[in-house]
Amino acid sequence: MAKPKIASDWMAGCAGCHMSLLDIDERILQIAELVDIRATPITDLKEPDESGVDVGILEGGINNTANEEVAHKMRKRCKILVALGDCAVFGGVPAMRNFFKLDEVLKRAYIETESTDEEGKIPDDPELAKMTKVRAVHEVVPVDVFVPGCPPDPDVIFYVLSELAQGRIPELKDEKLHWH
Amino acid sequence: MVTLTIDGRTVEVPEGTTVLRAAEKAGIKIPTLCDHPHLQPFGGCRVCVVEVEGLRTLQPSCTLPVSQNMVVRTNTPKVLAARKFVLTLIFSDRNHFCPYCQVSGGDCELQNTALDMGMTHWDYQPAWKPYPVDASHPNLVIDHNRCILCRRCVRACGELVGNYTLGIEERGANSMLIADTGVPFGESTCISCGTCSQVCPTGAIIDRRSAYQGLEKKTESTRTVCVQCSVGCGVEVLTRDNRMVRILGDWDATVNGGVICKLGRFDPLDDTRERVKTPMVRKDGKLQPASWDEALEVIAKTLKAHQGKGIAALVSPRLPAEAMTAFKSLFKEGLHAEMVTSMNGSGMASRLAAEAGVHENTLDVLHCADCVVTVGLDLYSDHQVLGFFIKRRLNTSTALVVMDSRENRFAEYARIALKPAAGKEAFALQALAAAIREGHNGTSGKFGELASKAGLSEAEIAKVADLIRKSGTTVFVYGEGLDENGAKALLEVVQQAGDNTKLVSAKGAANSLFAGQLGLSNSFNPKGCPTVFVALGDDEPSNALIQQLEGTEFLAVAASHVSRLTAMADVVLPVEMWAEQEGTYINLEGRVQKAHAALRPTEWVRSSTEAIMALGKLLDVPVSTDWQKAFQNHPSPVTLIGEPA
């Protein structure tokens, strides 16, 4: 049997979940033996294979049209979609901005910050992605496996990956399950 | 007894028990958020639903009483699905941002319940409607985003503290926790006892001082006694890396049953006084760090030289019984000092008891009183937990009478408030005694005359007498605001009124009762004594004391904190503060309680008892810490309870 293919990507997050993934340290070699790691933000290949992968992992919430595209593409190209970390699962820290109107948020970020000079301007290039409310991944595309945590513990990530690598759906409970 | 089956296990419980408690007894855990063992069942959160054979719908186990042969199932797929759905709705109602909540990761009952249920995510996201955060209160913060409307705080505020500050306005999804009629929390009638924060299952009510200082589950907990007053509440001191993080009321403590006041919960954490870190000896007019040996040597030498020429010694009634016993044995029996006493006020209760043979009751009587009369005691600011016991009964038929010649904020809660002229309380009480005896038959009796001597009207006294006559049990609670004549008059009222009248007295400081029993209640007058030793502990010296001791030839102070008194001293010994010391405390009802050290003092600090014993050794005076023996020397107004073997 061919090794299962895994791809990952990040959206509105802090990359901390991928850092936690790297925190599994030398165990990454065991994972690499079991799976074919395809596209990730921290390797050369950036997009999941058009021909599809077995497992897609998404870190971060969805806060603009570009993230929506990433999520849809990953969902379309993977069999099992994993939401990794509190932002992907709940919206997380970026979702704090949902309490404000988008133009207020942009004004604060590009014009009113203490370090912005008088030239402050909200970017309006039509090429730019359009901002949206921050959503958890499952609000946009169906998710198969939820791995909460801010970030999830490396041991939990290792468990999830090794289960998926061996064709099982990981079950998070007891000491493996925590949010925050 | 009722027999029922829960998850196949047979349980026998008394009639009236709830299914939740019956399950607990059987060792079956049913999750719940609104239930609290010290509050009345409420049935608000619906997390504790169970399946009951023969009943069409799921039932909240916290409010469902058991019945004979009931068959309950607590973990069927139907129950689990409902429970998960309820949690999902609770999470979607407000904004539960776990990553930046101080209770996330172990202290949040909501999060813990969800994790126990294996919830990896929320099916429904919140509506992202921002809720206010009320940070107007000096001690507490209410974050409505995290509130699950379980009403534990509301119930604790009413049922346990009797304050009824917190409430809920509106209905359904518009329900909001409010203080009073919706005023900012900091401007409300809140008395800052913090019980609401202790029962809050989420991070909705947090206390400013300890918030974000680490999870409760990662702290060490020490059960000890609060030494802020003579009630002697049981407290749990949470520490982390030898630092006090939080103080909680001990739910298992007989005295207070979990409630404590602001003085016990928040004030010790706000103590910013500087510590005395090493022994100090005055050299060339300046206090200089010294070794214990050197400092003790200087004190011993002076005491020896001045023996018979005037030694005065003063002890704080906040110190453990062992320290006070050692103090008395050194200065009174050993050195025959001219003046040996405590900062205890009059020690009236013990003395009067000795004279009149009157016995005081335990605090239990407050929990079943029909009428409570406080005399010379403001339970709003003093011995507050006694006030809680009374206030929580005021919504029943219990009546409160407050008699005080001073301004008394507790009078707000009273059915009848009497304000006799200052120093005339004795007349008011004599009038009351006469009115109870004579009855009020429309004709002015002897008590009218006495009432007017007290500056009160006859009708006022008659109303109180009437209330007492009609009450099953009346409890008189008196304090230091009553002078000796007043106290004697009160004892007469109590003796005359018979078995249905009970007496409780507030004794002042944590070990004031014991100080009285030791006979350390004379007022302090060091005049003519060139040598003064003060065992201050962590007490704050009064201005009067500082004035009295100005110009003392030789002053030695054993204190935990730097003060104007230590600045005046010739020798300062660094001793433990309350959270560092072990020892015995006897509260106002005679309950013997052990204080345990929650914190380790720094290297140079010793206990007050050790300091006194070391001094005794140097002076070749045998020093005893046998407080039991000392206690028996005087007739006591109370019987010792729970005396450790």
Side-chain angles (χ1 to χ4, degrees):
Chain A
M1 200 182 90
K3 287 180 184 178
K5 288 178 184 163
I6 286 189
S8 80
D9 211 338
W10 60 33
M11 303 177 294
C14 69
C17 298
H18 274 78
M19 296 306 117
S20 194
L21 187 154
L22 292 177
D23 260 353
I24 67 176
D25 299 332
E26 74 282 359
R27 288 175 291 182
I28 195 123
L29 298 175
Q30 296 173 40
I31 298 293
E33 269 173 32
L34 291 170
V35 300
D36 184 1
I37 299 173
R38 306 294 297 167
T40 75
I42 45 181
T43 51
D44 288 342
L45 196 59
K46 300 298 181 197
E47 286 198 2
D49 304 29
E50 253 178 77
S51 55
V53 293
D54 296 282
V55 177
I57 300 170
L58 287 177
E59 170 192 334
I62 291 161
N63 76 350
N64 59 25
T65 47
N67 288 342
E68 281 173 14
E69 270 175 44
V70 169
H72 282 295
K73 185 175 278 172
M74 187 63 92
R75 175 72 275 185
K76 215 153 119 195
R77 293 183 181 180
C78 76
K79 289 179 191 144
I80 296 164
L81 182 61
V82 181
L84 183 67
D86 274 0
C87 296
V89 174
F90 302 110
V93 173
M96 275 180 113
R97 88 168 189 215
N98 288 350
F99 289 140
F100 307 93
K101 292 197 179 90
L102 290 179
D103 51 348
E104 280 172 8
V105 173
L106 287 168
K107 216 165 112 195
R108 175 73 185 123
Y110 289 99
I111 296 172
E112 291 171 355
T113 46
E114 288 67 13
S115 58
T116 306
D117 59 21
E118 283 161 19
E119 301 297 305
K121 178 174 175 288
I122 295 170
D124 55 359
D125 193 307
E127 291 287 304
L128 287 170
K130 254 182 71 190
M131 244 169 92
T132 63
K133 197 178 84 173
V134 181
R135 288 152 295 165
V137 176
H138 76 278
E139 289 182 87
V140 178
V141 294
V143 170
D144 304 299
V145 179
F146 295 88
V147 186
C150 185
D153 197 81
D155 292 340
V156 172
I157 295 179
F158 177 72
Y159 164 77
V160 168
L161 290 178
S162 54
E163 286 294 287
L164 289 167
Q166 295 166 76
R168 293 189 291 266
I169 295 291
E171 195 190 350
L172 292 184
K173 58 179 186 182
D174 303 329
E175 78 282 0
K176 288 195 189 70
L177 176 59
H178 48 84
W179 318 339
H180 69 78
Chain B
M1 295 297 267
V2 176
T3 307
L4 70 160
T5 313
I6 306 177
D7 293 346
R9 274 182 243 182
T10 308
V11 201
E12 203 185 49
V13 288
E15 202 181 318
T17 307
T18 61
V19 171
L20 180 68
R21 297 278 169 262
E24 253 165 35
K25 200 186 163 203
I28 295 163
K29 195 185 166 226
I30 300 176
T32 164
L33 292 172
C34 71
D35 183 76
H36 191 280
H38 290 263
L39 300 173
Q40 293 299 315
F42 180 65
C45 73
R46 305 276 141 171
V47 169
C48 71
V49 286
V50 292
E51 225 176 315
V52 179
E53 228 169 64
L55 292 183
R56 187 177 52 87
T57 56
L58 296 177
Q59 301 291 317
S61 61
C62 69
T63 51
L64 182 69
V66 294
S67 59
Q68 194 61 31
N69 301 327
M70 191 182 233
V71 178
V72 180
R73 288 186 194 90
T74 73
N75 57 6
T76 63
K78 189 177 165 189
V79 166
L80 296 181
R83 210 169 269 165
K84 214 165 181 171
F85 183 61
V86 165
L87 283 172
T88 304
L89 292 182
I90 291 174
F91 278 116
S92 71
D93 192 32
R94 299 270 169 113
N95 303 294
H96 296 278
F97 283 105
C98 300
Y100 28 96
C101 179
Q102 71 135 1
V103 295
S104 170
D107 287 353
C108 178
E109 292 181 42
L110 174 62
Q111 190 189 61
N112 290 349
T113 308
L115 297 181
D116 285 347
M117 295 282 302
M119 272 176 79
T120 56
H121 65 289
W122 307 328
D123 287 332
Y124 306 131
Q125 287 290 94
W128 304 115
K129 179 186 162 192
Y131 282 84
V133 175
D134 185 342
S136 60
H137 193 287
N139 301 105
L140 301 159
V141 176
I142 301 180
D143 186 341
H144 292 277
N145 290 287
R146 302 168 182 166
C147 176
I148 59 167
L149 298 167
C150 68
R151 290 152 174 89
R152 271 194 203 173
C153 55
V154 176
R155 290 180 286 148
C157 190
E159 288 173 27
L160 299 180
V161 187
N163 219 54
Y164 299 97
T165 295
L166 295 175
I168 298 284
E169 69 171 2
E170 290 284 358
R171 287 288 180 273
N174 292 331
S175 303
M176 277 291 279
L177 173 65
I178 52 162
D180 295 335
T181 49
V183 300
F185 198 19
E187 292 163 27
S188 71
T189 54
C190 173
I191 51 164
S192 306
C193 74
T195 310
C196 53
S197 67
Q198 189 171 328
V199 295
C200 181
T202 69
I205 304 183
I206 57 177
D207 77 273
R208 281 175 186 279
R209 183 59 177 65
S210 71
Y212 297 99
Q213 292 210 11
L215 290 171
E216 223 164 75
K217 69 164 193 181
K218 287 183 180 162
T219 57
E220 284 170 50
S221 156
T222 309
R223 285 180 177 197
T224 185
V225 185
C226 175
V227 298
Q228 298 283 49
C229 77
S230 65
V231 177
C233 291
V235 291
E236 223 183 301
V237 180
L238 302 185
T239 55
R240 190 159 175 244
D241 301 331
N242 203 33
R243 208 162 45 84
M244 220 181 325
V245 173
R246 196 170 298 160
I247 300 172
L248 303 172
D250 183 353
W251 293 114
D252 297 330
T254 318
V255 174
N256 53 315
V259 289
I260 51 173
C261 68
K262 175 177 181 283
L263 271 70
R265 190 187 301 273
F266 296 126
D267 285 9
L269 293 163
D270 286 334
D271 192 347
T272 53
R273 294 178 295 167
E274 193 191 330
R275 285 300 291 269
V276 181
K277 295 178 195 80
T278 65
M280 311 272 272
V281 174
R282 193 170 293 278
K283 290 177 201 157
D284 309 324
K286 258 179 80 182
L287 274 178
Q288 315 258 7
S291 70
W292 266 92
D293 286 346
E294 189 188 350
L296 287 169
E297 195 70 54
V298 174
I299 301 174
K301 229 170 78 188
T302 316
L303 286 173
K304 218 177 243 169
H306 287 180
Q307 212 174 338
K309 294 178 205 152
I311 295 173
L314 183 65
V315 68
S316 161
R318 261 172 80 101
L319 287 177
E322 291 81 358
M324 266 195 268
T325 310
F327 169 87
K328 189 190 172 192
S329 125
L330 172 63
F331 287 98
K332 189 111 188 175
E333 282 106 41
L335 299 172
H336 306 288
E338 279 66 19
M339 173 99 239
V340 183
T341 189
S342 73
M343 309 162 211
N344 196 29
S346 61
M348 193 165 60
S350 293
R351 264 190 310 115
L352 294 178
E355 287 161 18
V358 169
H359 200 75
E360 290 180 2
N361 298 86
T362 57
L363 293 177
D364 305 352
V365 294
L366 285 174
H367 301 308
C368 53
D370 300 302
C371 177
V372 179
V373 185
T374 71
V375 190
L377 180 65
D378 186 349
L379 293 176
Y380 186 89
S381 49
D382 200 2
H383 290 66
Q384 289 181 35
V385 171
L386 297 189
F388 301 172
F389 294 164
I390 297 167
K391 276 156 65 187
R392 63 166 80 143
R393 288 185 55 80
L394 295 181
N395 64 347
T396 64
S397 59
T398 301
L400 172 66
V401 178
V402 171
M403 185 192 287
D404 204 331
S405 56
R406 309 161 301 177
E407 279 306 313
N408 189 319
R409 283 200 70 181
F410 205 62
E412 280 172 29
Y413 305 100
R415 192 177 296 180
I416 304 172
L418 298 177
K419 197 164 185 284
K424 308 287 185 197
E425 294 89 342
F427 291 124
L429 288 158
Q430 281 161 6
L432 189 59
I436 294 172
R437 202 164 44 229
E438 289 172 21
H440 190 59
N441 49 15
T443 60
S444 187
K446 187 185 161 208
F447 75 87
E449 203 180 301
L450 287 163
S452 66
K453 272 191 188 168
L456 295 168
S457 77
E458 190 183 322
E460 283 177 294
I461 294 288
K463 250 163 74 183
V464 177
D466 209 35
L467 200 58
I468 293 171
R469 267 202 313 270
K470 284 179 185 155
S471 296
T473 309
T474 298
V475 181
F476 283 87
V477 188
Y478 76 105
E480 301 261 297
L482 195 59
D483 61 12
E484 194 161 332
N485 288 332
K488 280 181 184 159
L490 176 60
L491 293 179
E492 264 177 51
V493 177
V494 172
Q495 278 169 325
Q496 173 204 311
D499 286 348
N500 287 340
T501 311
K502 313 281 183 196
L503 187 66
V504 169
S505 80
K507 306 282 192 305
N511 247 343
S512 278
L513 171 73
F514 184 71
Q517 290 307 113
L518 277 186
L520 300 179
S521 297
N522 297 325
S523 56
F524 182 63
N525 182 5
K527 274 216 174 77
C529 291
T531 310
V532 178
F533 183 92
V534 182
L536 188 65
D538 61 2
D539 230 340
E540 186 60 18
S542 67
N543 286 336
L545 178 65
I546 290 165
Q547 259 172 22
Q548 275 183 316
L549 293 176
E550 258 165 18
T552 303
E553 214 178 297
F554 179 84
L555 173 65
V557 181
S560 57
H561 294 90
V562 174
S563 64
R564 278 164 61 208
L565 192 68
T566 60
M568 275 161 51
D570 297 286
V571 182
V572 182
L573 301 175
V575 292
E576 291 171 354
M577 48 86 95
W578 72 276
E580 293 161 351
Q581 66 196 5
E582 300 271 339
T584 306
Y585 283 87
I586 303 168
N587 83 343
L588 54 85
E589 54 174 346
R591 191 173 298 280
V592 180
Q593 306 192 101
K594 288 279 171 208
H596 297 288
L599 297 172
R600 290 182 308 281
T602 51
E603 193 188 343
W604 289 83
V605 173
R606 295 192 193 170
S607 75
S608 295
T609 316
E610 269 178 275
I612 293 162
M613 306 247 316
L615 204 51
K617 202 170 165 201
L618 218 51
L619 286 162
D620 238 348
V621 173
V623 174
S624 161
T625 56
D626 186 353
W627 64 266
Q628 276 116 323
K629 213 166 134 196
F631 192 91
Q632 287 149 7
N633 286 345
H634 287 261
S636 156
V638 292
T639 315
L640 290 189
I641 318 162
E643 188 177 345

CSV table of all heavy atoms in Angstrom, one decimal, chain B residues 16 75 85 150 245 447 578 593:
chain,number,residue,atom,x,y,z
B,16,GLY,N,-36.5,12.9,50.3
B,16,GLY,CA,-36.2,14.3,50.0
B,16,GLY,C,-34.8,14.6,49.4
B,16,GLY,O,-34.5,15.7,48.9
B,75,ASN,N,-26.1,7.9,31.9
B,75,ASN,CA,-25.2,8.0,30.8
B,75,ASN,C,-25.7,7.2,29.5
B,75,ASN,O,-24.9,6.6,28.8
B,75,ASN,CB,-23.8,7.6,31.2
B,75,ASN,CG,-23.8,6.1,31.7
B,75,ASN,OD1,-24.9,5.5,31.7
B,75,ASN,ND2,-22.7,5.7,32.2
B,85,PHE,N,-25.7,18.9,23.9
B,85,PHE,CA,-26.5,19.9,23.2
B,85,PHE,C,-26.7,21.1,24.1
B,85,PHE,O,-26.5,22.3,23.7
B,85,PHE,CB,-27.9,19.4,22.8
B,85,PHE,CG,-28.7,20.3,22.1
B,85,PHE,CD1,-28.3,20.9,20.8
B,85,PHE,CD2,-29.9,20.8,22.6
B,85,PHE,CE1,-29.0,21.8,20.1
B,85,PHE,CE2,-30.7,21.7,21.9
B,85,PHE,CZ,-30.3,22.2,20.7
B,150,CYS,N,-25.8,30.9,35.6
B,150,CYS,CA,-26.2,29.7,36.5
B,150,CYS,C,-26.7,30.2,37.8
B,150,CYS,O,-27.3,29.5,38.5
B,150,CYS,CB,-24.9,28.9,36.8
B,150,CYS,SG,-23.7,29.8,37.8
B,245,VAL,N,-1.5,33.6,46.8
B,245,VAL,CA,-2.2,34.0,45.5
B,245,VAL,C,-3.7,34.3,45.8
B,245,VAL,O,-4.2,35.3,45.3
B,245,VAL,CB,-2.2,32.7,44.6
B,245,VAL,CG1,-3.1,33.0,43.4
B,245,VAL,CG2,-0.8,32.5,44.1
B,447,PHE,N,-40.4,51.2,83.3
B,447,PHE,CA,-39.5,51.2,82.2
B,447,PHE,C,-39.5,52.5,81.4
B,447,PHE,O,-38.5,52.8,80.7
B,447,PHE,CB,-39.7,49.9,81.3
B,447,PHE,CG,-40.9,49.9,80.4
B,447,PHE,CD1,-40.8,50.5,79.2
B,447,PHE,CD2,-42.1,49.3,80.8
B,447,PHE,CE1,-41.9,50.5,78.3
B,447,PHE,CE2,-43.2,49.3,80.0
B,447,PHE,CZ,-43.1,49.9,78.7
B,578,TRP,N,0.8,36.2,60.2
B,578,TRP,CA,-0.2,35.2,60.5
B,578,TRP,C,-0.1,34.0,59.6
B,578,TRP,O,-0.2,32.8,60.0
B,578,TRP,CB,-1.6,35.8,60.4
B,578,TRP,CG,-2.0,36.1,59.0
B,578,TRP,CD1,-1.7,37.3,58.3
B,578,TRP,CD2,-2.8,35.3,58.1
B,578,TRP,NE1,-2.3,37.2,57.0
B,578,TRP,CE2,-3.0,36.0,56.9
B,578,TRP,CE3,-3.4,34.0,58.2
B,578,TRP,CZ2,-3.7,35.5,55.8
B,578,TRP,CZ3,-4.1,33.5,57.1
B,578,TRP,CH2,-4.2,34.3,55.9
B,593,GLN,N,-9.0,26.1,67.6
B,593,GLN,CA,-8.6,25.8,66.2
B,593,GLN,C,-7.1,26.0,66.0
B,593,GLN,O,-6.5,26.8,66.6
B,593,GLN,CB,-9.4,26.8,65.3
B,593,GLN,CG,-10.9,26.8,65.5
B,593,GLN,CD,-11.6,27.5,64.4
B,593,GLN,OE1,-12.1,26.9,63.5
B,593,GLN,NE2,-11.6,28.8,64.5
